Amino acid sequence: MILSAVSVWKKFDMSNPLCPSEWGDTEDAAAGMRFWNVTYYGRKANDGSVRIFARFGKPSAGEKFPAVLLLPEAGKPLDDELLYYFIDKGYAVLMPDYSGEREDAAENAPRTVYPESLKYADFVRAGGYDRVDTTADETCWFEWISVALYSIEYLKQREDVSGIGVVGIRTGGEIAWKAMLSPDVKCGVPINAAGWRAYRNIGKFADNAEMNMSDERHRYIAGIESQSYAPFVKCPVLMLCALHDDGFDYDRAYDTYSRIGCEDGNAIAYSADSGSCIGPNALKDLELFLEKHLKGREIYIPKSLNVALKFEDDTLKAEVEYDEGGILEETGIYYAESSEKTKATFREWHCAFRTEGKNVKNGKLSCELPRYKGAAISFVFAYAKYINGFRVASKIAAKRFADPDPKAVRSRVLYSGEEVDCFGVAGYEDYSIADIFLECEAVPKLTEGYGRIKGAYSVGGIKTYKISSPRYVPEENAMLEFDVYFRKDGELKVSVDIADEENRTERFSCFVPVRGGGKWKRIILSPNEFKDEGMGAPLKSFSQGQALLFDCEDETNEYAVTNILWL
C-alpha cells in the first residue's frame, strides 16, 4: 500500500501521557544559561512506550521565552554547542535524541529508548531509512517524526515557553518538514534538507534525470519525502542550503521550496564558500527569521528572486527580477560551469557579477555571463541583500549546450590574488559550531604577504573546485605552480580530491616545508608527489582532480597563497 503524506500524518497519535521528568540541573553562570536533562514518553506501542531523552536549556534570567525545537543530524550525539548558540540569542531550546541506539555511543550514555517492537527506529538499524518495503508508518522516519511531535507537546506544557519554532539539521531537517505540519509551530528552518532522497545519484540537470522506480521507491516518495509534505506546511519556512554538502540535493531545493503551502514569509538562501556548513550571511537570515516569527519583531522578509538564463546570438545572459517591496542594498549573480558527469557538490561557484542595489532599475537586472564554449552546462543563481541585512536567493537555473567545443582554449591560471569567492573552507569541522554553523572567523579572506601582495587564506585551509570546471581542467601531464608566503617557518599541506567510480572522495596530499618571512616562495609540484592518504599510491594526473586544497596545521602561522596555475 502506498500511503500519502496526508495518510501518514493521520496515523500520528499524540494521546499518550508525557509523564516528564528533569534531572542534572546545571548552570553556566558566565554565559547566563541553565541546562537540564529531560525525559518524557512518546508513542505507545503494544509492548511499551518510547521514552524520549532530550537536553533542555534557557537563559538564566527571565520567566518566559520563545522556544526552538532543535532536531540535530541523525546518528550523532547531542551537542551542547548548538544549545549555547540559540540560548545566547534569547531562546529556550529543546534538543531531543531521536537516534536511540548508536554504534559510537558510550554504554551508559543517556538516549531515547524504543520498545522492542520499534527497534528499527534505532540508528544502528534505521529500518526504512532509504526505502519503504511495507508502509511508511513502519519505518524509522515515522518513529523519528513521532519523537519530534511529542517534543512539541512537551514544550506546549512548559509554562516558561511562549511559542515554538523548529530548526532541523540535515536528517533533522527532513524530520522538521513533517513537524512543521503541526499547528503549534510558528515557523521552521530546515538546514541542508530538501527531500528528493530517492533521486540521489540522479542529477536534476543530467540526461538520466528521469527513470523508472520500484514500488518501494514510490512508497518512499509518497510517505517519507519532504517535497510530499511541503504543500501541507502552513507556517513560514526558511531553507538554508550549503552548496558543498553531499548529504542533500541542493539543485532540487527550490523545487521543494516552491511547493510550500504557506504563501507569505518564506525564504531560501545558499552558502557557497563555507563547505558543508551554513555561512555567516545565511546565519544572519536565521537570526532575523526567528526574531520575526518567535519574538514578534517587525522584520521585512523579501520574496525570493526570479532568474532566467538566456542564450541568444552566442551570448549567455542572466535576467533577474527582484522584490520591490524592500530597499535593495546589494545584489550579485553566482555562476558555475560543468561537464555532463560533474557531481553538483564539485561545481565551482563564484560571484560573476556584483553591484549596489541602487543600480537595479524597475526591479529588473540583466547581466552578460562569461561563458566558456567548452562547457556542456552553465548554472546560475542570484542573491539580493536588503537594507535590514536579510538575503534571499533565486532558484538554480541551468542551460545545456548541444555542442560544447572540445577545442576551446582552457585557462592555465586558477587564481592570481583577486577576490576569494572561488575558495571555500577546506577543514570546517574544527572551526564550525557542531559541523554546521560557520561564523566569520574561518571564511576565506585576502591577507598580505611580502611587498603588500595579497593572497588567499583561511585558518581552516582554503579549497577551490576550479580544477573540476571545464575551463580550468589541466592537461594530462600538467604540473602545479603557486606562490606562498609564511610569516614563520612551517609546513604547507597541498591536497587534491578526486572522485572514484561511485562518486566517493579520495584525497591525495603533499607536504611542502616553507621558510617564514622574506619574499614569496615559488613552489612547483608534480602529480606523483601527491600520495593517497589511505593507500599511499601516487596521483597519476591533476586532470583527475575535483578540488584543490591548501592548509597549514599550525593555526598561529598565517599564510597566503596566490598565482596558482598549471604548467
Side-chain angles (χ1 to χ4, degrees), residues 178-207:
K178 290 77 171 176
M180 285 188 287
L181 269 65
S182 168
D184 299 304
V185 173
K186 290 187 173 182
C187 64
V189 185
I191 300 172
N192 293 359
W196 305 97
R197 294 172 55 84
Y199 290 79
R200 279 178 299 179
N201 301 321
I202 307 172
K204 176 181 177 180
F205 301 110
D207 283 337

Side-chain angles (χ1 to χ4, degrees), residues 202-278:
I202 307 172
K204 176 181 177 180
F205 301 110
D207 283 337
N208 64 342
E210 297 296 331
M211 63 175 289
N212 293 324
M213 291 194 173
S214 64
D215 288 343
E216 291 82 1
R217 288 288 182 180
H218 281 296
R219 285 194 285 266
Y220 188 88
I221 293 168
I224 303 297
E225 292 276 43
S226 296
Q227 72 270 18
S228 299
Y229 284 80
F232 306 103
V233 172
K234 302 304 180 185
C235 68
V237 179
L238 170 64
M239 291 184 69
L240 300 181
C241 308
L243 300 188
H244 296 295
D245 189 325
D246 280 330
F248 86 116
D249 187 348
Y250 72 77
D251 276 339
R252 292 186 171 96
Y254 199 91
D255 296 342
T256 303
Y257 176 81
S258 65
R259 299 181 181 201
I260 296 171
C262 177
E263 295 183 358
D264 296 317
N266 304 314
I268 186 169
Y270 306 122
S271 294
D273 60 356
S274 48
S276 298
C277 292
I278 299 304

Side-chain angles (χ1 to χ4, degrees), residues 218 395 476:
H218 281 296
K395 68 178 181 180
E476 191 71 22

Side-chain angles (χ1 to χ4, degrees), residues 125-170:
R125 300 170 186 87
Y129 187 69
D130 287 319
R131 54 183 279 160
V132 176
D133 292 318
T134 53
T135 59
D137 59 338
E138 296 178 352
T139 66
C140 62
W141 290 103
F142 187 85
E143 305 308 328
W144 294 349
I145 298 163
S146 291
V147 169
L149 295 177
Y150 270 93
S151 298
I152 293 171
E153 291 299 310
Y154 172 77
L155 287 171
K156 284 168 57 181
Q157 294 184 14
R158 291 191 65 102
E159 294 182 354
D160 54 359
V161 167
S162 60
I164 303 168
V166 180
V167 176
I169 299 167
R170 300 189 175 103

Side-chain angles (χ1 to χ4, degrees), residues 322-378:
Y322 298 84
D323 179 359
E324 295 187 84
I327 301 175
L328 185 62
E329 182 178 294
E330 174 188 304
T331 184
I333 295 173
Y334 274 78
Y335 182 66
E337 297 167 327
S338 78
S339 66
E340 288 280 2
K341 297 181 179 180
T342 303
K343 192 176 179 180
T345 49
F346 289 148
R347 287 187 201 134
E348 187 270 312
W349 289 102
H350 62 278
C351 192
F353 176 81
R354 184 182 286 116
T355 189
E356 295 180 0
K358 64 183 180 181
N359 295 323
V360 175
K361 306 299 182 185
N362 300 317
K364 294 183 179 181
L365 179 75
S366 179
C367 170
E368 185 174 333
L369 297 169
R371 180 203 168 206
Y372 172 65
K373 295 184 177 181
I377 313 176
S378 290

Side-chain angles (χ1 to χ4, degrees), residues 291-340:
E291 285 188 1
K292 175 180 176 64
H293 296 293
L294 294 183
K295 294 183 179 180
R297 280 191 57 194
E298 288 293 330
I299 296 173
Y300 182 72
I301 306 294
K303 295 178 182 178
S304 57
L305 312 180
N306 291 320
V307 68
L309 266 180
K310 295 188 177 180
F311 185 58
E312 299 173 349
D313 299 326
D314 206 34
T315 300
L316 185 66
K317 286 185 177 182
E319 296 183 352
V320 188
E321 294 181 2
Y322 298 84
D323 179 359
E324 295 187 84
I327 301 175
L328 185 62
E329 182 178 294
E330 174 188 304
T331 184
I333 295 173
Y334 274 78
Y335 182 66
E337 297 167 327
S338 78
S339 66
E340 288 280 2

